[in-house]
Amino acid sequence: MTDFTQHDAFPMTARVLGALFYLPPESPEAAPLVEALKGSEWLTQWPLPQEALQPLTIKFNAEAEETLSEAWQRLFVGPYALPSPPWGSVWLDRESVLFGDSTLALRQWMRENGIQFDMQQNEPEDHFGSLLLLAAWLAENDQHVLCEQLLAWHLFPWSTRFLQEFVANANHPFYQGLGELAQQTLAQWQSQLLIPVAVKTLYR
């Protein structure tokens, strides 16, 4: 059975989602992706049925009172409480704190496997977007076993709940659509995993 992370579509989709969740929409890396999602060519390149993706293009092109940059600031930076914090330890730690035990476990796993992944921002490594970027990097470098471990042990245990809350509270059509695209994509990945997803208690 071929590991799904070996297919060309996996690193592409992981990198697109990772960049759009991790970087400001006006950044040089994310801005072209925002424009691409407003078009239609990506529909044939994304490894999901087009009938499932077509409704998302309406959300990606919908008008909103809030600019995309303002929405990103509200959802990922603050200054007010984030409606769906994108860091794993917020969901996995009893005190819902940054740099919790799950973050330390991720760091230990990275050290044990010689993974050095430079964060572009000064924050914990367990950011939803940065974990997707790391998964893409591992797949691109033929580290498919480590890629599956990252997903099964450090992302999937909390990402479903995070995305549910993100979609419910995005309050901006583009980011609601992005959250739904991530939900569908990660659900497909999880259905193809060759190793079981770690069972962890969620505290939010």
Side-chain angles (χ1 to χ4, degrees), residues 18-32 34 68-69 72-73 76-77 120-121 175:
L20 289 172
F21 272 93
Y22 187 59
L23 299 169
E26 69 278 6
S27 67
E29 298 89 348
V34 170
L68 207 55
S69 295
W72 191 85
Q73 181 82 17
F76 295 103
V77 180
Q120 294 191 25
Q121 305 172 52
Y175 281 109

Side-chain angles (χ1 to χ4, degrees), residues 155-194:
L155 181 62
F156 288 155
W158 61 275
S159 60
T160 299
R161 177 72 61 82
F162 159 70
L163 288 171
Q164 288 173 344
E165 293 297 311
F166 184 85
V167 169
N169 296 285
N171 292 326
H172 190 285
F174 183 92
Y175 281 109
Q176 183 183 13
L178 181 66
E180 291 176 4
L181 179 61
Q183 284 179 315
Q184 294 184 38
T185 304
L186 269 66
Q188 185 191 58
W189 293 350
Q190 189 164 338
S191 73
Q192 298 173 320
L193 266 180
L194 301 179

Side-chain angles (χ1 to χ4, degrees), residues 6 34 44 55-56 70 86 111-112 124 126-128 130 142-143 145 151 167 176 184 188:
Q6 292 178 276
V34 170
T44 61
L56 301 181
E70 290 169 343
R111 279 196 299 270
E112 289 174 354
D126 59 348
H127 187 290
F128 178 76
S130 66
D142 296 324
Q143 300 292 323
V145 172
L151 296 175
V167 169
Q176 183 183 13
Q184 294 184 38
Q188 185 191 58

Side-chain angles (χ1 to χ4, degrees), residues 38-187:
K38 292 181 178 180
S40 59
E41 289 187 13
W42 71 276
L43 293 171
T44 61
Q45 301 170 8
W46 208 269
L48 288 172
Q50 287 201 32
E51 58 268 22
L53 301 175
Q54 195 70 48
L56 301 181
T57 62
I58 299 173
K59 294 179 179 179
F60 290 143
N61 286 281
E63 296 286 333
E65 293 183 6
E66 191 179 36
T67 68
L68 207 55
S69 295
E70 290 169 343
W72 191 85
Q73 181 82 17
R74 172 175 56 82
L75 291 168
F76 295 103
V77 180
Y80 305 109
L82 305 186
S84 183
W87 301 279
S89 65
V90 174
W91 305 89
L92 296 169
D93 192 275
R94 188 181 298 274
E95 304 298 325
S96 295
V97 295
L98 297 180
F99 297 101
D101 289 342
S102 61
T103 312
L104 301 180
L106 172 63
R107 286 182 175 177
Q108 178 66 23
W109 176 82
M110 292 173 69
R111 279 196 299 270
E112 289 174 354
N113 291 286
I115 298 171
Q116 293 184 328
F117 191 69
D118 293 330
M119 300 288 289
Q120 294 191 25
Q121 305 172 52
N122 184 25
E123 62 184 340
E125 293 88 343
D126 59 348
H127 187 290
F128 178 76
S130 66
L131 288 177
L132 290 176
L133 292 172
L134 177 54
W137 181 84
L138 289 170
E140 289 164 349
N141 286 275
D142 296 324
Q143 300 292 323
H144 301 290
V145 172
L146 293 180
C147 183
E148 286 224 345
Q149 289 178 0
L150 177 70
L151 296 175
W153 299 349
H154 300 289
L155 181 62
F156 288 155
W158 61 275
S159 60
T160 299
R161 177 72 61 82
F162 159 70
L163 288 171
Q164 288 173 344
E165 293 297 311
F166 184 85
V167 169
N169 296 285
N171 292 326
H172 190 285
F174 183 92
Y175 281 109
Q176 183 183 13
L178 181 66
E180 291 176 4
L181 179 61
Q183 284 179 315
Q184 294 184 38
T185 304
L186 269 66

